[in-house]
Amino acid sequence: MTTLRELGERNVIDEIVKTVGTRVFKGEVLSYPDDAKDLLPKAPRIIVNIDGYGIEKLRLPWRDSSDIGWCAITGSVSDILVKGGVPDAVLIALGLPPDYPVQELKMLAEGLRDAVNYYGVRLLGGDTNSSSEPWIAVATIGFTPAKKPPSRKGLRKDDYIVVTGVYGAMGFAAIKGLEEAQRRKWVVEKTKRPVANKELGVVISSNYRWITASMDVSDGLGYTLLTLSSESNARILLHQPPLYEPSLMDECQGDMECIVKIAMSGGEEYGAVIGVRPEGLSNVLRDLEYYQIPYRLVGRVVEGEPGVFYEDKPLTFASWDQFKGWSNGV
Amino acid sequence: MTTLRELGERNVIDEIVKTVGTRVFKGEVLSYPDDAKDLLPKAPRIIVNIDGYGIEKLRLPWRDSSDIGWCAITGSVSDILVKGGVPDAVLIALGLPPDYPVQELKMLAEGLRDAVNYYGVRLLGGDTNSSSEPWIAVATIGFTPAKKPPSRKGLRKDDYIVVTGVYGAMGFAAIKGLEEAQRRKWVVEKTKRPVANKELGVVISSNYRWITASMDVSDGLGYTLLTLSSESNARILLHQPPLYEPSLMDECQGDMECIVKIAMSGGEEYGAVIGVRPEGLSNVLRDLEYYQIPYRLVGRVVEGEPGVFYEDKPLTFASWDQFKGWSNGV
């Protein structure tokens, strides 16, 4: 088995670039292996993000190294999309052990390639390091024509709360455990390679006038709603669950409380929670439908202290903290 | 001793942002803790880089956690400067163990703050993860007015080779070992917080017409010269050593071969190697002097196969590979 020790540092990122490919757009000068890359703005406003991952932490039992490559790109790209950006390029930093098999590196690179192709971004370059625990960090650069990309802080009374995406698979794994989850085909299929909706950026940027706040669901829907509520200092009242996996109905034997709790837990769904002014709601929903982005209108912002309520009860969900582990949130 | 487990994931990046501070420029909308940040272009061309580090690998015996924060920013900013960019902002991804002391996190943040202030960049945000081996990745976004930022590939026959920076301290540690190095005040002082020259970006961007290639010295001067030579398919003939630490003269008892070998080895000096067309040399040197950037004209590009020669001998130096360790390169 060939390992990175034999391959050598400079060949690791080479191997990735060879698999993923790079693209230099007209007017750009620098290219891999230059240590920095130039790019020309494609819209008046740049949007950037960085996300890091412990590679083994992304490794659900049913995810191979290519899925992990996919997930790492998806997580960072999703943050750009939800702010109304069109992602343009990614940079990757990697930490891998010297005895890491080259075969696994190749698979990781294939997953990065699949994601880069799917999201229509390009790899600009990267950096490799030796690390006993493997890790990956992805920085994404995107552009938006929106004059005012939505922050987490903008929810106002009477806003409608729209949730895109379909929930429950990762929440099932979080609450029932990986062993149980592994036996559910629907959980495995849905969580192997989560997908962020590519057109969401266009919908958000073209409706920025009416979108008061937005945040992607990377750490669970319940956590996302609660964060938007506290950052915006606004109370969210939910009157409907988000779209959820049909199998959840059986798993919960039709108990709506069970369904909502599972749908609100989990993470890496990469849907979005969006606050919309009443006067813009029909435009936003029309655009979501045009791009066939699954969504549901789940609630509204109401008078009162920050907090998230489902009908008359405070929302409960399981939330993951990298340092503290799983906990049952408020 | 408080650890990150008690602090919790969301508070880790909070702690850093609190220490380092963030700045939102006029016209920008998003701010920490939004998962993405917007920025407006400050010059026609964007320049980006990512660099990652194993935190313990940056930890020379005489570097504390604040020095490591400094070094991580310096490494990424240096890549922007050497391409003629003015660094504007950084994004940080961190992996730290749950039992990492909060005290060390605070020191790391102080070093990040010192570097951010020194280089005049701002922290846009970041992401934290749990990792048994601590790591940090820094992505820098900069801008340049240069129509053609210099790549690694542009050296041409008759170019002058200019090396900025003063060499020998890290090479001494590489060749003589850390124990020996630790007893030399000049080595400790020079390598504790290496500094990239802030004005280098201005010199390079305003002379881009005559600068055919450039690369920063992050992996040792010998390696940098050799890489420029092979990427440019050009032979470099050196006739002078770069500027070197005066103490090296004593250490080598005046033996020039010893001095050159140590100066060519090492890494993290963050000087630059620049190829300059003869017709632009006086402009480049005048600007380097104006900004008081230490430099020496070390050689020229000559006819012949790629390779780096010091007078009539091929260059020798020690080079570090993350996966293979130290080796005596050609």
Side-chain angles (χ1 to χ4, degrees):
Chain A
M1 188 182 72
T2 317
T3 67
L4 302 194
R5 193 175 284 110
E6 288 109 89
L7 196 62
E9 181 186 347
R10 337 265 180 214
N11 291 325
V12 169
I13 206 79
D14 243 32
E15 183 65 44
I16 292 177
V17 170
K18 220 169 59 189
T19 304
V20 180
T22 55
R23 276 186 294 164
V24 176
F25 287 167
K26 199 163 176 172
E28 295 175 349
V29 176
L30 303 174
S31 62
Y32 178 80
D34 269 304
D35 291 317
K37 175 74 188 80
D38 62 318
L39 52 178
L40 299 176
K42 282 158 202 75
R45 190 177 298 269
I46 307 163
I47 302 214
V48 294
N49 158 272
I50 196 165
D51 266 338
Y53 308 88
I55 284 182
E56 292 314 314
K57 289 192 188 69
L58 282 178
R59 198 183 293 279
L60 296 169
W62 51 88
R63 277 188 189 155
D64 63 24
S65 290
S66 79
D67 300 325
I68 287 169
W70 172 279
C71 291
I73 300 271
T74 297
S76 181
V77 160
S78 168
D79 284 314
I80 303 296
L81 291 167
V82 81
K83 298 301 176 189
V86 175
D88 179 59
V90 295
L91 296 160
I92 293 174
L94 269 177
L96 296 172
D99 60 357
Y100 200 73
V102 170
Q103 186 50 35
E104 292 297 316
L105 174 70
K106 280 184 201 286
M107 286 188 71
L108 184 73
E110 283 163 14
L112 295 171
R113 177 201 60 204
D114 293 349
V116 153
N117 290 344
Y118 180 80
Y119 295 112
V121 294
R122 51 205 175 115
L123 175 65
L124 296 185
D127 186 47
T128 321
N129 296 272
S130 167
S131 170
S132 56
E133 182 164 333
W135 58 266
I136 183 166
V138 178
T140 304
I141 297 112
F143 300 98
T144 181
K147 280 213 185 80
K148 198 176 167 307
S151 84
R152 293 177 172 190
K153 299 175 187 170
L155 287 186
R156 281 189 287 153
K157 189 170 163 294
D158 298 333
D159 281 357
Y160 284 95
I161 302 292
V162 175
V163 171
T164 74
V166 181
Y167 295 81
M170 197 60 121
F172 186 89
I175 287 177
K176 305 285 182 180
L178 293 176
E179 210 157 313
E180 195 68 10
Q182 164 147 236
R183 287 189 223 115
R184 304 296 194 284
K185 202 176 153 211
W186 66 275
V187 173
V188 169
E189 276 180 0
K190 191 65 196 274
T191 56
K192 197 171 158 63
R193 288 196 173 191
V195 177
N197 197 293
K198 284 188 280 187
E199 278 88 14
L200 187 67
V202 177
V203 175
I204 291 180
S205 73
S206 51
N207 288 285
Y208 76 88
R209 284 170 196 78
W210 302 295
I211 294 180
T212 54
S214 71
M215 185 174 165
D216 78 331
V217 183
S218 46
D219 295 322
L221 181 54
Y223 172 79
T224 305
L225 285 161
L226 203 65
T227 302
L228 278 168
S229 158
S230 66
E231 294 277 341
S232 297
N233 197 26
R235 174 177 294 230
I236 296 174
L237 181 62
L238 305 174
H239 51 70
Q240 256 211 107
L243 288 174
Y244 55 87
E245 296 293 331
S247 309
L248 213 51
M249 188 56 101
D250 295 340
E251 296 288 352
C252 286
Q253 299 175 309
D255 172 17
M256 196 43 77
E257 203 168 323
C258 160
I259 290 173
V260 171
K261 166 139 192 177
I262 292 178
M264 291 294 166
S265 304
E268 289 186 57
E269 279 99 352
Y270 301 118
V273 179
I274 306 172
V276 187
R277 292 306 299 158
E279 62 270 28
L281 187 68
S282 62
N283 283 341
V284 172
L285 300 188
R286 190 198 55 214
D287 285 356
L288 288 171
E289 272 154 28
Y290 176 80
Y291 287 109
Q292 303 185 323
I293 299 174
Y295 74 90
R296 193 169 265 181
L297 189 60
V298 298
R300 287 192 87 164
V301 177
V302 296
E303 193 78 53
E305 293 293 296
V308 183
F309 289 79
Y310 190 85
E311 287 163 352
D312 51 350
K313 286 183 196 159
L315 195 66
T316 59
F317 56 90
S319 165
W320 171 257
D321 185 287
Q322 293 266 356
F323 297 105
K324 293 177 171 175
W326 283 104
S327 65
N328 271 314
V330 186
Chain B
M1 189 182 72
T2 316
T3 67
L4 302 193
R5 192 176 283 110
E6 288 109 89
L7 196 63
E9 181 185 349
R10 337 266 179 216
N11 292 325
V12 169
I13 206 78
D14 244 31
E15 183 66 43
I16 291 177
V17 169
K18 219 169 57 190
T19 303
V20 181
T22 55
R23 276 186 294 164
V24 176
F25 287 166
K26 198 163 178 174
E28 295 174 350
V29 175
L30 303 175
S31 62
Y32 177 81
D34 269 303
D35 291 316
K37 175 72 189 83
D38 62 319
L39 52 178
L40 299 176
K42 281 157 203 77
R45 190 177 297 269
I46 307 163
I47 302 214
V48 294
N49 158 272
I50 196 165
D51 267 336
Y53 308 88
I55 284 182
E56 292 314 314
K57 287 190 191 70
L58 282 179
R59 198 183 293 279
L60 297 169
W62 50 88
R63 277 188 189 155
D64 64 24
S65 290
S66 79
D67 300 325
I68 288 169
W70 172 278
C71 291
I73 301 270
T74 297
S76 182
V77 161
S78 168
D79 283 315
I80 303 296
L81 292 167
V82 81
K83 297 302 174 190
V86 175
D88 179 58
V90 295
L91 297 159
I92 293 174
L94 267 178
L96 295 171
D99 60 358
Y100 199 74
V102 170
Q103 186 51 34
E104 292 297 316
L105 174 70
K106 280 184 202 285
M107 287 188 69
L108 183 73
E110 283 162 15
L112 295 171
R113 178 202 59 204
D114 293 347
V116 154
N117 291 344
Y118 180 80
Y119 294 112
V121 295
R122 51 205 176 116
L123 174 66
L124 297 184
D127 186 46
T128 320
N129 296 272
S130 167
S131 171
S132 57
E133 182 164 334
W135 56 267
I136 182 166
V138 178
T140 304
I141 298 110
F143 301 98
T144 181
K147 280 213 184 84
K148 197 172 167 307
S151 85
R152 294 177 171 191
K153 299 177 187 169
L155 287 186
R156 280 188 288 151
K157 189 169 162 296
D158 298 333
D159 281 358
Y160 284 94
I161 302 293
V162 175
V163 172
T164 74
V166 182
Y167 295 81
M170 199 59 123
F172 187 90
I175 287 177
K176 305 284 180 178
L178 292 177
E179 211 158 312
E180 195 69 10
Q182 164 148 233
R183 286 189 225 112
R184 304 293 193 283
K185 204 177 152 211
W186 66 276
V187 174
V188 169
E189 276 179 1
K190 191 69 195 274
T191 56
K192 197 170 157 63
R193 289 196 173 190
V195 177
N197 197 294
K198 284 187 281 186
E199 278 88 14
L200 187 68
V202 178
V203 175
I204 291 180
S205 73
S206 50
N207 288 286
Y208 75 87
R209 284 169 196 80
W210 303 295
I211 294 180
T212 54
S214 72
M215 185 173 166
D216 79 330
V217 183
S218 46
D219 295 323
L221 182 53
Y223 173 79
T224 305
L225 286 161
L226 202 66
T227 302
L228 279 168
S229 158
S230 66
E231 295 278 341
S232 296
N233 198 27
R235 174 177 294 231
I236 296 174
L237 181 61
L238 305 174
H239 52 70
Q240 257 212 109
L243 288 175
Y244 55 86
E245 295 294 330
S247 308
L248 214 51
M249 187 58 97
D250 295 339
E251 297 288 351
C252 287
Q253 298 174 309
D255 172 17
M256 197 42 78
E257 202 169 322
C258 159
I259 290 174
V260 171
K261 166 136 193 179
I262 291 178
M264 291 293 166
S265 304
E268 289 187 59
E269 279 99 352
Y270 301 118
V273 179
I274 307 172
V276 187
R277 293 306 298 159
E279 63 270 28
L281 187 68
S282 62
N283 283 341
V284 171
L285 300 189
R286 189 197 54 211
D287 284 357
L288 288 171
E289 271 153 28
Y290 176 79
Y291 287 109
Q292 302 185 323
I293 299 174
Y295 74 89
R296 194 170 264 182
L297 189 59
V298 298
R300 286 191 86 163
V301 177
V302 295
E303 193 80 53
E305 294 292 298
V308 183
F309 289 78
Y310 189 83
E311 287 163 355
D312 51 350
K313 287 183 192 157
L315 195 66
T316 59
F317 55 90
S319 162
W320 171 256
D321 185 287
Q322 293 266 357
F323 297 106
K324 293 177 171 175
W326 283 105
S327 65
N328 270 317
V330 184

